[in-house]
Amino acid sequence: MEIVKQDYSKFERQLKIFFEEKYQDFSLKFPERAVAFQQFITEGFPTRQLESWRNTDLAHILNDNYHIVAPNDRNLLSTAAFHCNVQGINVHEISITNGFSNQKLIKLDNDVIYGSLQEAILQYPDLVSKHFGKYNKHLDGFSSLNDTFWLDGAFVYVPDNISLDLPLQILNAYNWDEQLFLSVRNLIVLGKNSKMTLLHCDDSLNHHRALSNSVSEIYMDEYSEMDYYKLQNINNKTAIVNRIIFYQEQASRLNANQVSLNGGLLRNDIHVKLDGKMSDADVSGAYLMDKNQMIDNHVHVHHAVSDCTSNQEFRGVLDDYAATVFNGYILVDKDAQKTAAQQSCRHILVSDKAKIETQPFLEIYADDVKCSHGASVGQLDNEALFYMRSRGIDEQNARTLLTYAFVSVVLDKIKIKPLRERYADMIKQRLSGNLGICGQCVLDCSIKEKMEQLDGLKLF
Amino acid sequence: MNNIILSIKDLHIKIGDREILKGINLEVKAGETHAIMGPNGTGKSTLAAVIAGREGYNVTQGQVLYKGENLLEMSPERRSREGVFLGFQYPVEIPGVSITDFLKTAINEHRKYHGLEPISAKDFLALMNEKKKLVEMTSNLANRSVNEGFSGGEKKRNEIFQMAMLEPALAILDETDSGLDIDALRIVANGVNKLRTKENAIVVITHYQRLLDYIVPDVVHVMYDGNIVMTGNKSLAMNLEKHGYAWVKEQLDIS
Ligand SMILES: Nc1ncnc2c1ncn2[C@@H]1O[C@H](COP(=O)(O)OP(=O)(O)OP(=O)(O)O)[C@@H](O)[C@H]1O
Ligand SMILES: [Mg+2]
């Protein structure tokens, strides 16, 4: 294999050696993995030459070595399953630790299935193969890597006409003594006229660096409804490359919300394809970044048929040297008449060293559409600050209240009251500088005792 | 001496290069209600804002004492906790902050400053309900974001509601009557009257003598071009209403 790329990272070299020495046999059994890896070799890690990575530098993440999670690595599970409870909510839970699901598969009386994707492939091969990989999009080298190295993840199936009684929570936690490279793959299938709430949390339990490269495919059949709440609260060394693809059939309704509180580098590609008439997608996010944290959100809504509606609403607060990229894309196909698509992203800069790049892209081929987009960058309203101070509220507290108010528009999308309140609480703690990773991150962490023994971990 | 709440001596204020207040003298004692009238742009709101601690004003001369202390050295929040209240001419909309959260925070900041424990949820609710009645405020207004989407009259009512919650020793009410309909004017004025005590003082800034039929002032001042040019009793307001500011000019030219 000839090396053509100049910008050759330490980790890229490690991946090649690893593939040749330790992964060859496995990939012989799964030739598509070898193909995917070949593709990775060709494209490499995305560089800033690539439009979608123009503002995001991966050098510090990739010039490092990681423990690449491999098939015989089930021992990574020996660490205790991570649980976290939001007071006042009961959930069905899938706990994924270091890339592996802690449980096999659970089938409820109403035929809802949830648990390990790997296990689902064994038990329900037809169901899985009908959907697996069907909605995923190839975006860049990370896509190839996930195809090459994914081993496990969450699988959820909600049959037709079933409304899942409790929210389902997927906990994706990292906790190992080495720096991990993880490739998680999730598949969620909602049957016709079914309904579910999904809480999806990314948490690091220690201060080691990790690189997580996950892909989630979510299929929503006709008239299904999903409320999807993603929470990202990970340590400042860890990088997350998170791809999530929602595929919506007729009259399905999606409410996808993402709150990001901490993380070294958070790259989220959220893709929605509206492929059935009268479907609706609301994609929202709030993020609070400081120090050298970076969040890079790419939201891509594709109106493929007529009479669909979509809304993107993102709010970010940036302090210190934090940076953000918001890349909001609306694609309206030629036949997608009567589309109504909106996009708004607003930011508050707390420090003048923080950086913001927002790029709206509207690609519209139909003529009867209503599309709007708006972006703003601002500071807190001085008039409002004075008004609050004139009522006796300390300047810092006034700032916290105003900042919270700014992002609360996005929190209002969360329909479960205790969850919304828990988030509100975390955000207020975050704003007053009192929230660390796993600092009671939704949490009433049941493995707190264990965590206290981990070195360097600060608990709040 | 110790019943003087506000004492302003020869106060000169500049915004940028322009002198807006040109030597204001004003003394307000406990138990008194003063009215300040005067044409647009003469500096009434500027005076109120300086007392409340808004930034951007340059004090070139003079002093402002509140209960004998130098008010100009205090932060706006400290002034509030010490008992200064400004009813804004243009109350600010704060989307996303509910009146309840806002006032609870404010009250707890006041309590903390005075060495008190935070107010309990139950007591706070009771207090809200009591004060809401005072200005006949509908309860759903209190659940909304501060002033967001409020009508002009609702905003003004909300100012007096906040005054009632915070029980200031010195309240400056800047055109609280503007934007109020006839009934609301009566309700708000009655609310203010109920908040008058022997210990506190109220300064109302208004263009209309009508308000003064409800909130009867002890002293009426006329401001003109950055100065208080006339001071008298309630009949001064009547005269103003009858003759307009041309009359003030005449009086000034004569003197
Ligand atoms: N921030 C500012 N920058 C520049 N000029 C200002 C500023 N604030 C006030 N002024 C000017 O100062 C003068 C006094 O304004 P002020 O608002 O105090 O008047 P007012 O007596 O309250 O008038 P009104 O009856 O219309 O409310 C006006 O000429 C106004 O334009
Ligand atoms: Mg004014």
Side-chain angles (χ1 to χ4, degrees), chain B residues 79-115:
Chain B
R79 293 179 202 203
S80 167
R81 295 167 198 163
E82 288 284 353
V84 178
F85 179 89
L86 170 63
F88 283 59
Q89 182 175 359
Y90 305 108
V92 184
E93 300 197 5
I94 315 180
V97 178
S98 72
I99 294 185
T100 309
D101 271 0
F102 176 64
L103 278 175
K104 198 167 181 190
T105 311
I107 280 184
N108 281 335
E109 296 261 27
H110 279 242
R111 292 177 66 92
K112 192 168 132 199
Y113 182 76
H114 295 289

Short mmCIF file of all heavy atoms in Angstrom, two decimals, chain B residues 79-115:
data_model
loop_
_atom_site.label_atom_id
_atom_site.label_comp_id
_atom_site.label_asym_id
_atom_site.label_seq_id
_atom_site.Cartn_x
_atom_site.Cartn_y
_atom_site.Cartn_z
N ARG B 79 -27.60 49.10 46.12
CA ARG B 79 -28.59 50.17 46.33
C ARG B 79 -29.96 49.55 46.55
O ARG B 79 -30.71 49.96 47.43
CB ARG B 79 -28.65 51.08 45.11
CG ARG B 79 -27.38 51.87 44.92
CD ARG B 79 -27.45 52.77 43.69
NE ARG B 79 -26.09 53.09 43.25
CZ ARG B 79 -25.76 54.15 42.53
NH1 ARG B 79 -26.70 55.00 42.16
NH2 ARG B 79 -24.52 54.36 42.19
N SER B 80 -30.28 48.56 45.69
CA SER B 80 -31.57 47.90 45.81
C SER B 80 -31.73 47.24 47.18
O SER B 80 -32.75 47.39 47.84
CB SER B 80 -31.71 46.87 44.70
OG SER B 80 -32.81 46.02 44.95
N ARG B 81 -30.67 46.54 47.59
CA ARG B 81 -30.75 45.83 48.87
C ARG B 81 -30.83 46.81 50.04
O ARG B 81 -31.35 46.49 51.10
CB ARG B 81 -29.54 44.92 49.03
CG ARG B 81 -29.50 43.81 47.99
CD ARG B 81 -28.15 43.14 47.99
NE ARG B 81 -27.94 42.38 46.76
CZ ARG B 81 -26.74 41.96 46.37
NH1 ARG B 81 -25.65 42.23 47.08
NH2 ARG B 81 -26.62 41.28 45.25
N GLU B 82 -30.29 48.02 49.82
CA GLU B 82 -30.38 49.05 50.85
C GLU B 82 -31.73 49.74 50.83
O GLU B 82 -32.02 50.55 51.70
CB GLU B 82 -29.26 50.08 50.66
CG GLU B 82 -27.86 49.58 51.02
CD GLU B 82 -27.62 49.51 52.53
OE1 GLU B 82 -28.50 49.98 53.30
OE2 GLU B 82 -26.57 48.97 52.93
N GLY B 83 -32.53 49.45 49.82
CA GLY B 83 -33.89 49.97 49.82
C GLY B 83 -34.24 50.99 48.75
O GLY B 83 -35.26 51.67 48.83
N VAL B 84 -33.38 51.08 47.72
CA VAL B 84 -33.70 51.98 46.62
C VAL B 84 -34.43 51.20 45.52
O VAL B 84 -34.02 50.09 45.19
CB VAL B 84 -32.41 52.62 46.03
CG1 VAL B 84 -32.76 53.53 44.85
CG2 VAL B 84 -31.68 53.41 47.11
N PHE B 85 -35.49 51.77 45.00
CA PHE B 85 -36.23 51.09 43.94
C PHE B 85 -36.54 52.06 42.82
O PHE B 85 -36.97 53.18 43.06
CB PHE B 85 -37.55 50.53 44.50
CG PHE B 85 -38.39 49.83 43.48
CD1 PHE B 85 -38.23 48.47 43.24
CD2 PHE B 85 -39.35 50.52 42.74
CE1 PHE B 85 -39.01 47.82 42.29
CE2 PHE B 85 -40.13 49.89 41.78
CZ PHE B 85 -39.95 48.52 41.56
N LEU B 86 -36.33 51.59 41.60
CA LEU B 86 -36.70 52.40 40.43
C LEU B 86 -37.80 51.70 39.65
O LEU B 86 -37.62 50.56 39.21
CB LEU B 86 -35.47 52.62 39.52
CG LEU B 86 -35.75 53.25 38.15
CD1 LEU B 86 -36.33 54.65 38.28
CD2 LEU B 86 -34.48 53.31 37.29
N GLY B 87 -38.92 52.36 39.52
CA GLY B 87 -39.95 51.86 38.62
C GLY B 87 -39.63 52.41 37.25
O GLY B 87 -39.65 53.61 37.03
N PHE B 88 -39.27 51.54 36.33
CA PHE B 88 -38.75 51.98 35.03
C PHE B 88 -39.81 52.63 34.15
O PHE B 88 -40.95 52.17 34.10
CB PHE B 88 -38.15 50.78 34.27
CG PHE B 88 -36.80 50.35 34.75
CD1 PHE B 88 -36.60 49.94 36.06
CD2 PHE B 88 -35.70 50.35 33.89
CE1 PHE B 88 -35.35 49.54 36.51
CE2 PHE B 88 -34.44 49.94 34.32
CZ PHE B 88 -34.27 49.53 35.64
N GLN B 89 -39.38 53.67 33.45
CA GLN B 89 -40.28 54.26 32.45
C GLN B 89 -40.53 53.24 31.33
O GLN B 89 -41.63 53.10 30.83
CB GLN B 89 -39.66 55.54 31.86
CG GLN B 89 -40.57 56.23 30.85
CD GLN B 89 -40.00 57.57 30.36
OE1 GLN B 89 -38.93 58.01 30.77
NE2 GLN B 89 -40.73 58.23 29.48
N TYR B 90 -39.47 52.52 30.98
CA TYR B 90 -39.58 51.47 29.95
C TYR B 90 -39.08 50.15 30.53
O TYR B 90 -37.92 49.79 30.35
CB TYR B 90 -38.77 51.84 28.71
CG TYR B 90 -39.14 53.19 28.13
CD1 TYR B 90 -38.27 54.28 28.24
CD2 TYR B 90 -40.37 53.37 27.49
CE1 TYR B 90 -38.63 55.52 27.72
CE2 TYR B 90 -40.73 54.61 26.98
CZ TYR B 90 -39.85 55.69 27.09
OH TYR B 90 -40.21 56.91 26.58
N PRO B 91 -39.93 49.41 31.20
CA PRO B 91 -39.50 48.15 31.80
C PRO B 91 -38.95 47.19 30.74
O PRO B 91 -39.47 47.14 29.63
CB PRO B 91 -40.77 47.59 32.44
CG PRO B 91 -41.63 48.80 32.67
CD PRO B 91 -41.35 49.70 31.52
N VAL B 92 -37.90 46.47 31.11
CA VAL B 92 -37.19 45.63 30.14
C VAL B 92 -37.83 44.25 30.05
O VAL B 92 -38.22 43.66 31.06
CB VAL B 92 -35.72 45.49 30.59
CG1 VAL B 92 -34.93 44.71 29.55
CG2 VAL B 92 -35.09 46.85 30.82
N GLU B 93 -37.93 43.73 28.85
CA GLU B 93 -38.44 42.36 28.68
C GLU B 93 -37.30 41.37 28.87
O GLU B 93 -36.22 41.56 28.32
CB GLU B 93 -39.04 42.19 27.27
CG GLU B 93 -40.20 43.13 27.01
CD GLU B 93 -41.06 42.70 25.82
OE1 GLU B 93 -40.81 41.62 25.26
OE2 GLU B 93 -41.99 43.45 25.48
N ILE B 94 -37.53 40.36 29.65
CA ILE B 94 -36.49 39.35 29.86
C ILE B 94 -37.04 37.97 29.52
O ILE B 94 -37.51 37.24 30.39
CB ILE B 94 -35.96 39.36 31.31
CG1 ILE B 94 -35.69 40.80 31.77
CG2 ILE B 94 -34.68 38.52 31.41
CD1 ILE B 94 -35.15 40.90 33.17
N PRO B 95 -37.02 37.61 28.25
CA PRO B 95 -37.57 36.31 27.84
C PRO B 95 -36.86 35.17 28.56
O PRO B 95 -35.64 35.21 28.73
CB PRO B 95 -37.28 36.26 26.33
CG PRO B 95 -36.94 37.64 25.93
CD PRO B 95 -36.42 38.35 27.13
N GLY B 96 -37.61 34.21 28.98
CA GLY B 96 -37.00 33.03 29.58
C GLY B 96 -36.82 33.10 31.08
O GLY B 96 -36.52 32.10 31.72
N VAL B 97 -36.97 34.28 31.66
CA VAL B 97 -36.88 34.38 33.13
C VAL B 97 -38.28 34.66 33.65
O VAL B 97 -38.86 35.70 33.35
CB VAL B 97 -35.92 35.51 33.56
CG1 VAL B 97 -35.87 35.62 35.08
CG2 VAL B 97 -34.52 35.27 33.00
N SER B 98 -38.82 33.72 34.41
CA SER B 98 -40.18 33.91 34.90
C SER B 98 -40.16 34.94 36.03
O SER B 98 -39.18 35.09 36.74
CB SER B 98 -40.76 32.59 35.40
OG SER B 98 -40.14 32.22 36.61
N ILE B 99 -41.27 35.63 36.17
CA ILE B 99 -41.39 36.63 37.23
C ILE B 99 -41.15 35.97 38.58
O ILE B 99 -40.49 36.53 39.45
CB ILE B 99 -42.79 37.29 37.20
CG1 ILE B 99 -42.93 38.10 35.91
CG2 ILE B 99 -43.03 38.16 38.41
CD1 ILE B 99 -44.20 38.88 35.81
N THR B 100 -41.64 34.76 38.71
CA THR B 100 -41.46 34.05 39.96
C THR B 100 -39.98 33.82 40.27
O THR B 100 -39.51 34.14 41.36
CB THR B 100 -42.20 32.69 39.90
OG1 THR B 100 -43.54 32.96 39.48
CG2 THR B 100 -42.21 32.01 41.24
N ASP B 101 -39.24 33.28 39.31
CA ASP B 101 -37.80 33.05 39.51
C ASP B 101 -37.07 34.35 39.79
O ASP B 101 -36.19 34.43 40.66
CB ASP B 101 -37.17 32.44 38.25
CG ASP B 101 -37.24 30.92 38.26
OD1 ASP B 101 -37.77 30.38 39.26
OD2 ASP B 101 -36.78 30.30 37.29
N PHE B 102 -37.43 35.33 39.02
CA PHE B 102 -36.80 36.64 39.10
C PHE B 102 -36.98 37.23 40.50
O PHE B 102 -36.02 37.63 41.17
CB PHE B 102 -37.46 37.52 38.03
CG PHE B 102 -37.04 38.95 38.00
CD1 PHE B 102 -35.74 39.30 37.71
CD2 PHE B 102 -37.97 39.96 38.25
CE1 PHE B 102 -35.36 40.63 37.66
CE2 PHE B 102 -37.60 41.29 38.19
CZ PHE B 102 -36.29 41.62 37.90
N LEU B 103 -38.21 37.23 40.97
CA LEU B 103 -38.47 37.87 42.26
C LEU B 103 -37.96 37.04 43.42
O LEU B 103 -37.52 37.57 44.43
CB LEU B 103 -39.97 38.13 42.42
CG LEU B 103 -40.42 39.41 41.70
CD1 LEU B 103 -41.92 39.56 41.77
CD2 LEU B 103 -39.73 40.64 42.33
N LYS B 104 -37.99 35.73 43.24
CA LYS B 104 -37.49 34.88 44.31
C LYS B 104 -35.98 35.11 44.48
O LYS B 104 -35.49 35.23 45.59
CB LYS B 104 -37.76 33.41 43.99
CG LYS B 104 -37.67 32.55 45.22
CD LYS B 104 -38.24 31.18 44.94
CE LYS B 104 -38.14 30.35 46.20
NZ LYS B 104 -38.46 28.96 45.92
N THR B 105 -35.30 35.19 43.34
CA THR B 105 -33.87 35.47 43.39
C THR B 105 -33.62 36.83 44.04
O THR B 105 -32.77 36.98 44.92
CB THR B 105 -33.26 35.46 41.97
OG1 THR B 105 -33.68 34.27 41.30
CG2 THR B 105 -31.74 35.49 42.01
N ALA B 106 -34.39 37.82 43.60
CA ALA B 106 -34.20 39.17 44.13
C ALA B 106 -34.43 39.20 45.64
O ALA B 106 -33.61 39.73 46.40
CB ALA B 106 -35.15 40.13 43.42
N ILE B 107 -35.52 38.59 46.06
CA ILE B 107 -35.84 38.62 47.49
C ILE B 107 -34.78 37.89 48.30
O ILE B 107 -34.35 38.35 49.36
CB ILE B 107 -37.26 38.06 47.72
CG1 ILE B 107 -38.25 39.17 47.38
CG2 ILE B 107 -37.44 37.56 49.14
CD1 ILE B 107 -39.67 38.86 47.62
N ASN B 108 -34.32 36.77 47.76
CA ASN B 108 -33.29 36.05 48.50
C ASN B 108 -31.96 36.81 48.54
O ASN B 108 -31.22 36.71 49.51
CB ASN B 108 -33.11 34.64 47.93
CG ASN B 108 -34.22 33.72 48.43
OD1 ASN B 108 -34.79 33.96 49.49
ND2 ASN B 108 -34.52 32.68 47.67
N GLU B 109 -31.68 37.54 47.49
CA GLU B 109 -30.47 38.38 47.52
C GLU B 109 -30.61 39.45 48.60
O GLU B 109 -29.66 39.74 49.33
CB GLU B 109 -30.23 39.03 46.16
CG GLU B 109 -29.95 38.04 45.03
CD GLU B 109 -28.46 37.91 44.73
OE1 GLU B 109 -27.64 38.14 45.63
OE2 GLU B 109 -28.12 37.57 43.56
N HIS B 110 -31.79 40.04 48.69
CA HIS B 110 -32.04 41.04 49.73
C HIS B 110 -31.88 40.41 51.11
O HIS B 110 -31.25 40.97 52.00
CB HIS B 110 -33.46 41.61 49.59
CG HIS B 110 -33.58 42.68 48.54
ND1 HIS B 110 -33.94 43.97 48.83
CD2 HIS B 110 -33.37 42.64 47.21
CE1 HIS B 110 -33.95 44.69 47.70
NE2 HIS B 110 -33.61 43.90 46.70
N ARG B 111 -32.46 39.23 51.25
CA ARG B 111 -32.42 38.57 52.57
C ARG B 111 -31.00 38.20 52.95
O ARG B 111 -30.60 38.36 54.10
CB ARG B 111 -33.33 37.33 52.56
CG ARG B 111 -34.81 37.69 52.45
CD ARG B 111 -35.67 36.46 52.37
NE ARG B 111 -35.63 35.68 53.60
CZ ARG B 111 -36.48 35.82 54.60
NH1 ARG B 111 -37.47 36.69 54.51
NH2 ARG B 111 -36.38 35.09 55.69
N LYS B 112 -30.27 37.68 51.99
CA LYS B 112 -28.88 37.31 52.25
C LYS B 112 -28.08 38.54 52.72
O LYS B 112 -27.33 38.47 53.68
CB LYS B 112 -28.27 36.75 50.95
CG LYS B 112 -26.93 36.05 51.15
CD LYS B 112 -26.57 35.29 49.88
CE LYS B 112 -25.13 35.56 49.47
NZ LYS B 112 -24.90 35.24 48.05
N TYR B 113 -28.30 39.64 52.04
CA TYR B 113 -27.59 40.88 52.36
C TYR B 113 -27.88 41.31 53.79
O TYR B 113 -27.03 41.83 54.49
CB TYR B 113 -28.03 41.96 51.37
CG TYR B 113 -27.35 43.29 51.53
CD1 TYR B 113 -26.04 43.48 51.09
CD2 TYR B 113 -28.02 44.38 52.12
CE1 TYR B 113 -25.42 44.71 51.22
CE2 TYR B 113 -27.41 45.60 52.25
CZ TYR B 113 -26.10 45.78 51.80
OH TYR B 113 -25.48 46.99 51.92
N HIS B 114 -29.10 41.03 54.23
CA HIS B 114 -29.47 41.42 55.59
C HIS B 114 -29.32 40.28 56.59
O HIS B 114 -29.86 40.33 57.69
CB HIS B 114 -30.91 41.95 55.59
CG HIS B 114 -31.07 43.22 54.81
ND1 HIS B 114 -30.56 44.43 55.24
CD2 HIS B 114 -31.61 43.47 53.59
CE1 HIS B 114 -30.81 45.37 54.33
NE2 HIS B 114 -31.44 44.80 53.31
N GLY B 115 -28.58 39.25 56.16
CA GLY B 115 -28.26 38.15 57.07
C GLY B 115 -29.43 37.23 57.36
O GLY B 115 -29.48 36.59 58.41
#
